[in-house]
Amino acid sequence: MGKIRINNLKFYTKNGVLKEERVLGQQVEIDVELTMDINKAGKTDNVQDTVSYAEVNDRIHERLENSSFDLMEAVASAILDDIENDHGEKLDKALIRIRKYSVPMPGIFDNIEIEMEREMTK
């Protein structure tokens, strides 16, 4: 068993509940953690025996560029749908963390973060 992690992918999006979030937009950071057996890939040195993190990155970029959501939970769910559709047969589970920094609410804080994990069906 092993994990592939992609940390701090940065995207500029126009997602959110409030009008100003959809007009002005904001930066989000995304972490992806993929749990799977990576031993075969370690022995064969063949990308076909693992999940290409470049493909995962491209798919997330495509999803955020072509979709709009009110909730970060919906963004995470859609990304997990894409990962499961593209690579579910190789994965045991996938975890997504999304951090949003420019949140229009009172108080002093760095960001909000949601985390969603899904067991893959093989």
Side-chain angles (χ1 to χ4, degrees), residues 12-26 67-72 74-75 100 102 104:
Y12 191 80
T13 70
K14 293 192 175 184
N15 295 301
V17 173
L18 301 176
K19 180 182 175 186
E20 49 273 301
E21 291 179 291
R22 291 183 174 266
V23 172
L24 300 174
Q26 67 273 327
S67 302
S68 182
F69 300 93
D70 287 343
L71 302 176
M72 291 297 102
V75 175
K100 186 172 168 180
S102 299

Side-chain angles (χ1 to χ4, degrees), residues 20-87:
E20 49 273 301
E21 291 179 291
R22 291 183 174 266
V23 172
L24 300 174
Q26 67 273 327
Q27 179 177 296
V28 297
E29 290 180 351
I30 298 177
D31 299 335
V32 179
E33 183 177 289
L34 308 173
T35 303
M36 61 183 288
D37 184 352
I38 60 174
N39 291 309
K40 183 176 180 183
K43 292 184 186 322
T44 65
D45 196 26
N46 185 336
V47 71
Q48 299 302 316
D49 294 327
T50 190
V51 171
S52 166
Y53 43 83
E55 288 178 13
V56 173
N57 175 63
D58 290 346
R59 192 75 143 107
I60 293 169
H61 181 72
E62 177 185 317
R63 170 60 74 178
L64 292 176
E65 198 170 85
N66 297 316
S67 302
S68 182
F69 300 93
D70 287 343
L71 302 176
M72 291 297 102
E73 293 86 343
V75 175
S77 183
I79 291 170
L80 286 170
D81 288 345
D82 292 339
I83 289 171
E84 186 166 20
N85 290 335
D86 294 348
H87 306 287

Side-chain angles (χ1 to χ4, degrees), residues 100-116:
K100 186 172 168 180
Y101 290 86
S102 299
V103 180
M105 66 180 196
I108 299 170
F109 58 93
D110 290 334
N111 60 61
I112 61 100
E113 179 178 89
I114 66 104
E115 178 177 296
M116 189 178 289

